[in-house]
Amino acid sequence: MNRIQHDGPLIIGGGLAGLSTALSAAPARALVVSPAPLLEAASSAWAQGGVAAALSSDDAPSLHLKDTEAAGAGLVDHHAAEVLTEDGRATVEWLASLGAPFDRDGQGGFAVSREAAHSMARVARVGGDGAGRAILSALATSVRAADHVEVWEDGRLTGLIQAADGRVIGAVIDREGTRVEVLAPAVVLATGGAGGLYGETTTPRALLGEGMALAWMAGAEILDPEFVQFHPTAIDVGLDPMPLATEALRGDGARLIDRDGAFILGPEPDADLKPRDIVARAVHRARAEGRGAFLDARTAIGAHFPEAFPAVFASCMKAGLDPRTQPIPVAPAAHYHMGGIAARTDGRTTLQGLYAVGECAATGVHGANRLASNSLLEAAAFGRRTGEAAAREKAKNRKVARIVEGAILSDGALQRLRDGMSADCGVIRDADGLKRLLTLIGDIEAAQEAALPLTACRLIAEAALKRHESRGGHYRSDYPETAKKAVHTRLVRTDPAVAVMMATTAATTAVIAAVIAST
């Protein structure tokens, strides 16, 4: 048996959340496990917008908090969002101290831009649209130089190891075909989101919600998995994943138009800066009606495109489009998972020994619809808190009682699943489509057992079917109204059934609303 004991946090994931956790765990020894070399297969490296924080003299954390709660459509956890926004400036300054080359203004302060649903400019950027990769590069350099961090860049999470009392005491890692069981006092899941479950996505295809699926299988609570954010301006040139046209383009005046040049969201100057769910549905409708959807930056950006937004410019030119002279064809695509493993601001989940941070976690700061550029802020701010908390866990002599693992899903089955998710659990949903998707999931399970991507899809689809309203990123055409009372979806596995509990944000206990047969 290939089993090792690691005396410190075991961190699964090499994105911004995972690396922030590792650096902040010092002096405890941290082991970071990534399925690919750092900077590859991490959504944070692909982020274009920047880090939202109250950085200017006319801004304040309370104003950032207000915008965050307004965008979240009634489901934002006030305390978590307050912690996040209060940490904003300190987090940006910490990233800058590690070498993140944020754009600066004439006085040497952070240059900020405005993005959708922000009441003012507060997004710290790097090179116009290169924030994610530049920030992650700085952290990767720091991690490689840190004496207390070890990195495996060839390890894929396949299972969680539990003691008899349910405590998570380790993880199963596949290292190029070799199974390694790593026991550790704390396991931190920083496994990213679930965008790869969709046929139309802006995220790395490898992000399949597997961390969420394993946490649920182990008994951790899953919060609001039905809330998936679709970015309204993925560049529609037939690529998978789809290149992203950052929201900052609209912040700088680019407009959404149809093929006849009519404004999709209206002629008002700020019409295209509504929350992402509203803009995504408008783009979806324009395409469904045959009008097409395009992002027109010819007037607002024009000749300045190459230096103002080099990443977007390069993507367009590679596809044979010149955004200086041509509108960019766009479509909504899966971009961010607001739901995930229920976690506190320091990463603690409902299972002892298990932490979750970044996109795989659901701390409540995003509610039903994430405010633009709050994701990198959350990954770094809560990653720092998680590293400190996980480092305090001490190893105890606990026997391995249970290992939860999922089966492997074939490439063909995964593509069927991705197509079904985009078709029936996308921007606009209804009961017929969700039931059709669940039938597809069941058919694939019958042929290939319960692979982790299937479990993740079932969690999202079942919760979407049970939520009989439209709120934030979850829009039901058969239930278009928003319920007066905002309630959370909470999923907890209890053999032989999964209890789906709905509770208000203020409630201390939950009531069972439905029972879904266990997979």
Side-chain angles (χ1 to χ4, degrees):
M1 180 184 300
N2 196 357
R3 178 180 290 174
I4 64 174
Q5 177 75 51
H6 174 70
D7 186 19
L10 170 60
I11 302 163
I12 313 298
L16 181 57
L19 298 189
S20 296
T21 300
L23 288 172
S24 300
R29 296 197 59 79
L31 173 58
V32 175
V33 177
S34 171
L38 301 184
L39 300 181
E40 295 182 19
S43 283
S44 41
W46 294 20
Q48 294 178 349
V51 184
L55 298 168
S56 59
S57 59
D58 57 348
D59 201 357
S62 60
L63 298 177
H64 187 187
L65 171 63
K66 183 178 179 181
D67 289 345
T68 296
E69 292 185 316
L75 286 180
V76 170
D77 181 283
H78 177 81
H79 170 71
E82 187 173 43
V83 170
L84 180 72
T85 53
E86 288 285 349
D87 276 359
R89 173 175 280 279
T91 300
V92 174
E93 290 176 343
W94 178 70
L95 293 171
S97 74
L98 295 176
F102 288 102
D103 297 345
R104 300 286 180 162
D105 59 24
Q107 290 72 47
F110 296 104
V112 292
S113 61
R114 185 183 176 193
E115 293 186 1
H118 287 275
S119 59
M120 61 182 61
R122 65 163 64 94
V123 179
R125 288 156 58 179
V126 179
D129 59 4
R133 189 166 191 84
I135 293 170
L136 194 60
S137 294
L139 264 71
T141 298
S142 296
V143 162
R144 294 189 192 285
D147 292 337
H148 74 285
V149 182
E150 179 183 358
V151 182
W152 292 357
E153 297 178 80
D154 58 356
R156 180 185 175 191
L157 174 71
T158 63
L160 291 175
I161 304 171
Q162 293 179 278
D165 61 357
R167 183 184 180 92
V168 173
I169 58 173
V172 181
I173 308 298
D174 183 307
R175 299 193 72 185
E176 298 182 334
T178 299
R179 175 190 171 97
V180 183
E181 295 179 5
V182 183
L183 302 182
V187 175
V188 180
L189 296 182
T191 52
L197 296 174
Y198 285 83
E200 296 173 344
T201 182
T202 65
T203 76
R205 291 181 56 174
L207 300 182
L208 300 172
E210 293 172 314
M212 176 180 71
L214 276 173
W216 176 80
M217 290 170 63
E221 179 180 280
I222 305 301
L223 179 69
D224 296 335
E226 66 271 35
F227 290 108
V228 178
Q229 186 171 79
F230 298 88
H231 200 291
T233 54
I235 302 174
D236 187 21
V237 288
L239 296 178
D240 179 18
M242 301 171 73
L244 182 65
T246 175
E247 199 163 86
L249 285 160
R250 283 177 282 136
D252 282 5
R255 301 303 303 270
L256 285 163
I257 61 173
D258 64 16
R259 66 179 72 260
D260 295 324
F263 293 120
I264 289 177
L265 284 106
E268 297 80 10
D270 61 350
D272 295 339
L273 294 178
K274 294 181 174 68
R276 283 182 177 172
D277 61 304
I278 295 174
V279 181
R281 287 194 295 275
V283 171
H284 177 86
R285 281 193 294 268
R287 289 167 50 84
E289 292 167 359
R291 297 160 51 206
F294 302 84
L295 185 63
D296 185 5
R298 293 173 295 180
T299 299
I301 315 296
H304 301 292
F305 217 120
E307 61 269 19
F309 298 97
V312 179
F313 183 75
S315 294
C316 289
M317 295 298 285
K318 186 176 181 180
L321 288 166
D322 188 340
R324 296 170 295 188
T325 60
Q326 298 171 273
I328 306 167
V330 295
H335 182 65
Y336 191 86
H337 195 191
M338 278 81 70
I341 307 161
R344 289 161 45 178
T345 59
D346 64 357
R348 296 179 193 273
T349 72
T350 58
L351 280 182
Q352 291 293 313
L354 182 68
Y355 291 72
V357 66
E359 193 175 347
C360 72
T363 60
V365 296
H366 305 306
N369 182 47
R370 176 176 65 87
L371 183 65
S373 290
N374 269 358
S375 53
L376 293 184
L377 174 62
E378 183 196 20
F382 290 175
R384 296 176 73 189
R385 290 171 173 266
T386 299
E388 294 171 0
R392 290 193 290 269
E393 298 278 5
K394 301 301 180 184
K396 297 180 180 179
N397 293 324
R398 294 177 181 268
K399 293 183 178 180
V400 174
R402 181 188 184 203
I403 298 178
V404 293
E405 299 179 276
I408 301 299
L409 191 62
S410 70
D411 291 343
L414 178 58
Q415 191 56 52
R416 288 175 61 201
L417 188 65
R418 297 180 74 220
D419 292 342
M421 287 289 285
S422 281
D424 294 324
C425 198
V427 178
I428 297 179
R429 307 159 174 181
D430 61 29
D432 289 343
L434 291 167
K435 290 176 181 176
R436 182 167 54 245
L437 173 61
L438 288 166
T439 297
L440 172 65
I441 294 170
D443 290 345
I444 298 175
E445 283 176 341
Q448 303 204 6
E449 301 181 15
L452 296 178
L454 291 170
T455 300
C457 285
R458 184 176 287 281
L459 290 168
I460 295 169
E462 290 278 17
L465 183 61
K466 293 298 179 184
R467 183 172 287 276
H468 293 172
E469 64 162 345
S470 291
R471 183 183 298 275
H474 170 75
Y475 187 87
R476 288 281 296 265
S477 59
D478 47 352
Y479 291 98
E481 301 299 321
T482 300
K484 292 182 180 179
K485 189 175 184 179
V487 298
H488 284 295
T489 300
R490 299 183 185 275
L491 310 179
V492 181
R493 179 172 184 168
T494 55
D495 293 326
V498 183
V500 180
M501 299 174 287
M502 307 290 281
T504 65
T505 54
T508 56
T509 58
V511 295
I512 295 178
V515 175
I516 299 172
S518 173
T519 59

